[in-house]
Amino acid sequence: MRSVYSMARDILLQIKDLRTSFRVEGQFFAAVDGVDLEIYKNEVFALVGESGCGKSAMALSITRLHNMNYTRCEGEVLFNGSNILAMTPSELNKLRGGQIGMIFQDPLTAMNPLNRVGAQIEETLTYHTKLNREEKKNRALALLEQVGMVDPALTYNQFPHELSGGMRQRAMIAMAIAAEPGLVIADEPTTALDVTIQAQILDLLRELRANTEGSMILITHDLGVVAEMADRVAVMYAGQIVETAPVEELFANPLHPYTRSLLHSMPSTITEEARLHTIQGIVPSLKNLPRTGCRFAGRVPWHPASLHEENPTFHEVTPGHFVLCSCYKTFTLGG
């Protein structure tokens, strides 16, 4: 998906024909199926879609954190021109935490329950910097202060289970940015947090973005978060990218039936009479996923099958705005 819009910008991460397949009953089924994306330097790129669409599977593919006994990754993931999928274990160790940071959606399970918070932040610094012991401690304390801990010295000596959900997420963010990576992947960073803490975490991420020149991939199903945070957004459904655009363009002119369905499923405060749109059905399981035609067709049965492409391709409707399948031209919300 190249255009004049993309050619004029510096590419940090380029994903080419990525296929991530999981073994189910002896067979491999693709959860990420032929994805092409470009992430530019100094931008927030949002990836949205329902649970089960393949968002987290793609994030773990970028950092090669899948259990390769049950997973197969094919294609190319080029970070600053180097293919992550072809890297050796030692090259990956330098990349993870150093050049790419990861904010997991559940910090309680992602953090080591037996190590204190300060030690876990310092572990990243040990691998990716040449700081001495005192410098690492001072850096860890500064990071805890930066992410808004009320008492950084106390948090430094605490274990993850002693922290609240919001504090654990802040500690996870401190670990992710410790070595000042060029790319941070935030996988559902506000999941399971109450709305007040969600707002604080988003404010923190926004502040961090403003103070650095790094890029961020923000994975979420919350379109409100996307509207607040992102520069560009890709909509993912059933393992495929179905639409990508600058965030203002996507919200002003959503085209793919899935994107339009998602946006119309959000509660509206404009009018009390507005009826909440619901999307029929659910995301198909890996084994039952249709591998030909428009994969969203089964959830919009009122839209004639003849109006979907047999082999969907991307259409650039405006610079930087791509949509998969020409069915967007005739689709109307219904059901």
Side-chain angles (χ1 to χ4, degrees):
M1 293 184 289
R2 299 303 302 274
S3 68
V4 174
Y5 176 89
S6 65
M7 291 172 66
R9 306 190 64 180
D10 292 331
I11 297 172
L12 177 67
L13 182 77
Q14 187 171 21
I15 299 171
K16 296 182 178 181
D17 196 24
L18 177 63
R19 282 181 169 79
T20 302
S21 305
F22 297 102
R23 191 170 67 191
V24 181
E25 297 178 356
Q27 299 183 63
F28 282 93
F29 298 90
V32 179
D33 200 357
V35 166
D36 293 288
L37 278 179
E38 293 172 348
I39 312 301
Y40 306 134
K41 293 182 179 179
N42 194 26
E43 78 163 346
V44 175
F45 184 88
L47 184 64
V48 301
E50 295 169 277
S51 296
C53 284
K55 305 186 302 298
S56 294
M58 190 168 82
L60 294 177
S61 300
I62 292 171
T63 49
R64 273 183 59 189
L65 286 172
H66 288 297
N67 184 334
M68 299 313 293
N69 292 323
Y70 307 99
T71 313
R72 186 166 62 200
C73 290
E74 302 166 293
E76 289 183 296
V77 179
L78 303 173
F79 182 76
N80 282 329
S82 298
N83 185 10
I84 295 174
L85 300 187
M87 286 184 176
T88 64
S90 76
E91 289 173 329
L92 285 171
N93 286 338
K94 292 178 183 178
L95 180 86
R96 299 173 183 146
Q99 299 175 62
I100 299 179
M102 187 87 178
I103 303 171
F104 296 94
Q105 58 181 293
D106 185 1
L108 187 60
T109 58
M111 298 175 74
N112 189 331
L114 302 179
N115 283 355
R116 299 179 191 274
V117 170
Q120 297 192 53
I121 297 174
E122 288 181 16
E123 183 178 19
T124 300
L125 297 171
T126 299
Y127 275 106
H128 302 292
T129 72
K130 296 181 179 180
L131 301 178
N132 61 37
R133 181 178 298 180
E134 183 180 356
E135 289 170 335
K136 285 188 290 187
K137 181 174 181 178
N138 290 336
R139 171 68 174 155
L141 290 169
L143 284 163
L144 290 172
E145 182 177 5
Q146 183 180 356
V147 298
M149 293 296 189
V150 176
D151 190 341
L154 174 63
T155 306
Y156 178 92
N157 288 301
Q158 288 180 307
F159 291 96
H161 72 269
E162 297 180 281
L163 306 181
S164 68
M167 292 174 71
R168 281 195 294 268
Q169 194 62 284
R170 291 173 188 273
M172 174 64 67
I173 292 171
M175 292 170 61
I177 66 171
E180 300 181 340
L183 174 66
V184 172
I185 302 173
D187 187 4
E188 302 278 7
T190 58
T191 295
L193 300 176
D194 64 57
V195 291
T196 302
I197 303 301
Q198 283 185 27
Q200 293 174 2
I201 295 298
L202 291 175
D203 286 341
L204 172 59
L205 292 175
R206 193 179 296 110
E207 181 181 343
L208 292 173
R209 190 277 170 96
N211 294 332
T212 66
E213 295 183 357
S215 299
M216 180 184 298
I217 298 177
L218 178 62
I219 298 170
T220 183
H221 59 265
D222 190 330
L223 291 167
V225 171
V226 173
E228 285 189 51
M229 294 287 298
D231 299 308
R232 288 192 304 134
V233 56
V235 181
M236 193 168 192
Y237 180 75
Q240 294 181 323
I241 301 299
V242 297
E243 188 165 1
T244 182
V247 67
E248 298 89 352
E249 169 72 13
L250 188 92
F251 279 86
N253 186 31
L255 295 176
H256 193 275
Y258 182 58
T259 308
R260 293 176 61 188
S261 297
L262 282 178
L263 287 171
H264 281 82
S265 297
M266 296 177 65
S268 173
T269 57
I270 297 175
T271 171
E272 294 181 2
E273 288 75 27
R275 187 169 72 91
L276 188 65
H277 176 75
T278 57
I279 306 176
Q280 294 189 21
I282 59 173
V283 180
S285 67
L286 285 183
K287 293 178 67 174
N288 298 321
L289 198 63
R291 302 292 172 176
T292 58
C294 181
R295 297 186 180 185
F296 193 59
R299 298 181 69 179
V300 285
W302 63 89
H303 193 66
S306 60
L307 298 178
H308 296 279
E309 292 179 22
E310 186 175 344
N311 296 296
T313 57
F314 277 100
H315 306 267
E316 187 172 21
V317 291
T318 58
H321 189 170
F322 294 87
V323 59
L324 186 68
C325 189
S326 58
C327 62
Y328 77 91
K329 297 177 181 179
T330 52
F331 177 77
T332 56
L333 287 168

